């Protein structure tokens, strides 16, 4: 027996909450105007919002929305993409089975509705009849089967393959990724053109909310085969089934353009003529472009915030990212020493970084999970208690010096030089410079060398273990602590330092496929045990939970900001 679920009334099993960061927040979404709430109601009922909060017409604009990106797009292949910038652009021209509404809840996209079996192991998605690709082909269940099989195919080597195995628990995904089964054995079946059946290994309470994540997006197999190795590297080798069509892009491009998709199934909802992205990695140049009217939206940081914080266009928006330093505990002998790692994490003045350097509303963070994105069975923020690990993670230079002295003695050395890889972007470089100064001042004999690299190279180096320290970040892909804890499972592709702990792995397994998978309260408690292992072992040095300080032109409304998966969504955006 199955129970029918009307997707438009379903919420994630875990609700979002985004408080603070200097924003007006409603369940994880910062609304740019009161119009956002109207748009949410319209999208749930299938209607179109035709007027704004002031009663003026919101007919389709003849102008593009011009948006600054701080980093280049790495890939527009949904099964290869692995960074927030790529995800944002992808989501503009591709729809998955589900999408987020203005409140961050899960509502229909390509799937009009879905059924869930009583045991929670089988999901049956019913696809829209009017969803088409930009070449005229109908979007079918087979497109999802092909895309998902690509995600777990060892030959594709998707960094996010674990979303189907460790996180999504799709049947046979783990064995396929390990090369033990053929990808055709994945538990996803096209029952017919418009019916997709998914079998799970274990119940996953938040499974429907995973469906708006790009790794689960469909791929038109016939079109893919015509592109060979060039798929998703140009407008000619990309297809759209979403609100916009990609019409200008090449790898490492500094400008990207999308045009409104007139044949989108929900085209009446989309008001923008298009989106024009400009990759500007220098924050001062970006601010000047905004002030010159060349951008409608831009990020600001540091001293710029003091200049613009009283501007009506200024918004501090919770981005959900946890910034942290990852030590290579496997390949660097000195960083395999726990006391050295504890010295480094305790020598950081996180408040100075957020208040004196970033100035964008970001919050100093002392936990392995960031604040304000995951709410537990009792309604509390998972990371609400920022002092729970103060014995091993705090802004305490005296404690850091004690750990440092012990570590140096254990290693039989008096001096230590460490390299830290950091993105070539403006804000990370500023943070890295402060970290270097704090560490060298607090820890006698330490020299930190900053290795500035383009983000793509920095990611490759960390994934390949070719680093000592790495300044990096992780944004939540779904509203549950497991989106972070999954990274530190033994041999996970995002476990950069190759740290391994059998007790930790056992806890995570118990919370995903064991008895606790369906016991919300006990699972939540056990996840704290997992976090304690991470913090006690100084697997990462958490720094801050990111807020984006943005300037959004006052003639732009309806942009939805989310701390999970897709930080900015433009389907309801209006430019007057």
């Amino acid at each position: 027996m199955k129970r029918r679920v009307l997707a438009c009334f379903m919420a994630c099993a875990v609700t979002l909450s985004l408080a603070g960061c200097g924003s007006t927040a409603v369940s994880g979404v910062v609304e740019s105007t009161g119009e956002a709430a109207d748009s949410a109601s319209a999208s749930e009922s299938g209607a179109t919002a035709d007027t704004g909060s002031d009663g003026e017409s919101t007919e389709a604009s003849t102008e593009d929305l011009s948006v600054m990106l701080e980093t280049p797009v790495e890939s527009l292949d949904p099964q290869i993409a692995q960074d927030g910038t790529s995800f944002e652009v992808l989501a503009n021209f591709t729809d998955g089975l589900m999408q987020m509404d203005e409140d961050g809840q899960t509502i229909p996209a390509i799937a009009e509705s879905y059924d869930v079996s009583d045991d929670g192991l089988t999901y049956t998605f019913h696809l829209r009849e009017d969803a088409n690709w930009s070449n005229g082909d109908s979007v079918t269940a087979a497109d999802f089967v092909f895309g998902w099989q690509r995600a777990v195919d060892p030959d594709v080597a998707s960094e996010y393959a674990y979303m189907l195995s460790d996180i999504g628990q799709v049947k046979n995904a783990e064995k396929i990724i390990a090369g033990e089964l053929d990808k055709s054995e994945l538990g996803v079946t096209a029952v017919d053109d418009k019916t997709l059946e998914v079998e799970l290994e274990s119940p996953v309470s938040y499974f429907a909310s995973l469906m708006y994540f790009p790794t689960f997006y469909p791929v038109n197999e016939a079109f893919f085969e015509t592109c060979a190795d060039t798929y998703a590297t140009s407008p000619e080798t990309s297809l759209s089934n979403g609100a916009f069509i990609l019409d200008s892009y090449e790898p490492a491009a500094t400008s990207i353009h999308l045009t409104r998709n007139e044949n989108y199934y929900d085209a009446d909802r989309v008001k923008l003529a298009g989106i024009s992205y400009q990759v500007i990695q220098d924050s001062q140049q970006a601010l000047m472009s905004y002030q010159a009217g060349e951008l409608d939206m831009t990020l600001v940081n540091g001293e710029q915030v003091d200049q613009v914080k009283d501007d009506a266009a200024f918004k501090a928006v919770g981005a959900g990212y946890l910034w942290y330093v990852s030590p290579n505990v496997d390949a660097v002998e000195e960083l395999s020493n726990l006391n050295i790692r504890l010295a480094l994490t305790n020598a950081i003045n996180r408040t100075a970084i957020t208040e004196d350097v970033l100035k964008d509303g970001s919050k100093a963070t002392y936990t392995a999970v960031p604040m304000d994105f995951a709410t537990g069975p009792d309604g509390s923020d998972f990371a609400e208690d920022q002092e729970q690990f103060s014995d091993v993670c705090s802004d305490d230079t005296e404690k850091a010096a004690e750990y440092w002295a012990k570590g140096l003695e254990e290693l039989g050395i008096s001096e230590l030089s460490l390299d830290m890889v950091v993105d070539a972007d403006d804000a990370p470089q500023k943070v890295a410079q402060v970290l270097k100064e704090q560490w060298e001042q607090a820890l006698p004999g330490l020299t930190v060398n900053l290795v500035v690299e383009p983000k793509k190279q920095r990611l490759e180096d960390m994934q390949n273990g070719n680093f000592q320290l790495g300044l990096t970040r992780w944004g939540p892909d779904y509203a549950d602590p497991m989106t972070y804890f999954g990274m530190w499972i033994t041999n996970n592709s995002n476990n950069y330092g190759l740290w391994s702990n059998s007790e930790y792995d056992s806890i995570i397994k118990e919370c995903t496929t064991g008895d606790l998978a369906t016991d919300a309260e006990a699972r939540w408690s056990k996840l704290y045990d997992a976090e304690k292992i991470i913090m006690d072992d100084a697997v990462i040095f958490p720094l801050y939970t990111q807020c984006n300080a943005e300037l959004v032109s006052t003639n732009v409304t309806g942009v939805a900001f989310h701390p999970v998966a897709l930080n900015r969504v433009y389907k309801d955006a209006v430019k007057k």
Side-chain angles (χ1 to χ4, degrees), residues 149-167:
Q149 287 180 350
R150 288 189 71 234
V152 296
D153 186 344
D155 291 337
V156 175
S158 171
E159 291 293 333
Y160 273 87
Y162 72 93
M163 290 289 286
L164 281 83
S165 56
D166 299 346
I167 306 305

Side-chain angles (χ1 to χ4, degrees), residues 171-286:
K171 185 177 179 180
N172 293 331
E174 183 175 4
K175 292 180 179 179
I176 295 168
I177 294 168
E180 298 172 8
L181 288 177
D182 185 78
K183 63 185 179 182
S184 62
E185 298 296 316
L186 186 67
V188 55
T189 304
V191 177
D192 56 43
D193 280 353
K194 295 295 181 179
T195 308
L196 181 73
E197 183 179 88
V198 182
E199 298 174 85
L200 306 184
E201 300 275 5
S202 304
V204 178
S205 59
Y206 47 79
F207 186 75
S209 71
L210 301 179
M211 297 300 98
Y212 49 66
F213 193 75
T215 305
F216 292 92
Y217 283 178
V219 175
N220 182 310
E221 182 176 8
F223 178 81
F224 178 88
E225 295 299 337
T226 68
C227 302
D229 295 334
T230 65
Y231 177 67
T233 59
S234 68
E236 293 74 27
T237 58
S238 301
L239 279 186
S240 167
N241 69 2
F244 300 90
I245 294 175
L246 182 72
D247 59 12
S248 177
Y249 168 74
E250 60 184 27
T254 57
S255 62
I256 303 164
H257 190 270
L258 301 100
T259 298
R260 184 176 183 271
N261 182 2
E262 299 294 341
N263 296 314
Y264 181 47
Y265 65 82
D266 203 8
D268 287 346
R269 172 184 175 185
V270 182
K271 305 304 179 185
L272 294 176
I275 301 175
S276 176
Y277 283 114
Q278 301 295 320
V279 178
I280 306 177
Q281 294 178 275
D282 181 86
S283 59
Q284 190 58 36
Q285 180 186 346

Side-chain angles (χ1 to χ4, degrees), residues 457-472:
Q457 183 62 49
R458 193 267 300 167
L459 282 171
E460 288 180 2
D461 283 344
M462 293 189 71
Q463 288 162 352
N464 294 331
N466 183 28
F467 76 104
Q468 295 182 328
L469 296 170
L471 177 59
T472 188

Side-chain angles (χ1 to χ4, degrees), residues 1-10 97-98 106 108 110-127 148 187 189 191-192 194-200 203-205 207-209 211:
M1 177 180 176
K2 294 183 177 181
R3 61 184 186 273
R4 169 67 60 159
V5 179
L6 293 178
C8 59
F9 294 110
M10 287 296 292
L97 291 168
M98 311 298 288
T106 306
I110 299 298
E112 285 188 312
S113 64
Y114 63 91
D115 308 325
V116 186
S117 61
D118 286 342
D119 61 7
L121 296 178
T122 303
Y123 282 70
T124 304
F125 294 93
H126 306 283
L127 277 56
W148 292 22
T189 304
V191 177
D192 56 43
K194 295 295 181 179
T195 308
L196 181 73
E197 183 179 88
V198 182
E199 298 174 85
L200 306 184
V204 178
S205 59
F207 186 75
S209 71
M211 297 300 98

Side-chain angles (χ1 to χ4, degrees), residues 189-444:
T189 304
V191 177
D192 56 43
D193 280 353
K194 295 295 181 179
T195 308
L196 181 73
E197 183 179 88
V198 182
E199 298 174 85
L200 306 184
E201 300 275 5
S202 304
V204 178
S205 59
Y206 47 79
F207 186 75
S209 71
L210 301 179
M211 297 300 98
Y212 49 66
F213 193 75
T215 305
F216 292 92
Y217 283 178
V219 175
N220 182 310
E221 182 176 8
F223 178 81
F224 178 88
E225 295 299 337
T226 68
C227 302
D229 295 334
T230 65
Y231 177 67
T233 59
S234 68
E236 293 74 27
T237 58
S238 301
L239 279 186
S240 167
N241 69 2
F244 300 90
I245 294 175
L246 182 72
D247 59 12
S248 177
Y249 168 74
E250 60 184 27
T254 57
S255 62
I256 303 164
H257 190 270
L258 301 100
T259 298
R260 184 176 183 271
N261 182 2
E262 299 294 341
N263 296 314
Y264 181 47
Y265 65 82
D266 203 8
D268 287 346
R269 172 184 175 185
V270 182
K271 305 304 179 185
L272 294 176
I275 301 175
S276 176
Y277 283 114
Q278 301 295 320
V279 178
I280 306 177
Q281 294 178 275
D282 181 86
S283 59
Q284 190 58 36
Q285 180 186 346
L287 179 57
M288 291 172 62
S289 295
Y290 174 85
Q291 292 170 335
E294 298 167 3
L295 290 171
D296 297 305
M297 296 176 59
T298 189
L299 295 172
V300 292
N301 64 65
E303 298 302 324
Q304 294 176 328
V305 176
D306 292 333
Q307 300 174 34
V308 302
K309 62 185 180 182
D310 295 326
D311 193 312
F314 177 77
K315 301 178 186 300
V317 180
Y321 286 101
L322 174 70
W323 279 88
Y324 61 95
V325 174
S326 178
N328 193 334
V329 300
D330 178 71
V332 182
E333 179 184 0
E334 294 86 351
L335 293 175
S336 297
N337 183 284
L338 177 59
N339 282 313
I340 294 294
R341 298 199 302 274
L342 288 171
L344 288 166
T345 194
N346 281 282
I348 299 169
N349 186 334
R350 293 159 177 83
T351 301
I353 291 173
T354 57
E355 295 185 0
D356 300 335
V357 179
L358 297 171
K359 301 184 179 184
D360 57 6
S362 296
K363 295 181 179 180
T365 303
Y366 304 84
T367 52
V369 171
M371 295 171 274
D372 304 327
F373 95 97
T375 303
D378 63 353
S380 65
D381 174 16
F382 186 85
E384 183 177 12
D385 183 0
Q386 283 295 300
E387 295 184 358
Q388 59 185 311
F389 305 116
S390 59
D391 55 331
V392 291
C393 183
S394 61
D395 299 356
D396 190 332
T397 55
E398 290 186 8
K399 184 188 298 183
E402 293 175 4
Y403 284 127
W404 184 247
K406 291 179 183 177
L408 293 181
E409 182 179 359
E410 290 167 352
L411 292 167
I413 59 177
S414 59
E415 296 181 347
L416 177 58
S417 178
L418 294 171
D419 295 341
M420 183 165 71
V421 292
V422 56
D423 292 350
D425 304 336
D426 190 44
Q429 287 192 63
K430 291 177 180 176
V431 171
Q433 185 60 45
V434 172
L435 286 171
K436 170 182 167 66
E437 293 170 0
Q438 291 179 353
W439 280 331
E440 291 180 348
Q441 181 175 352
L443 306 175

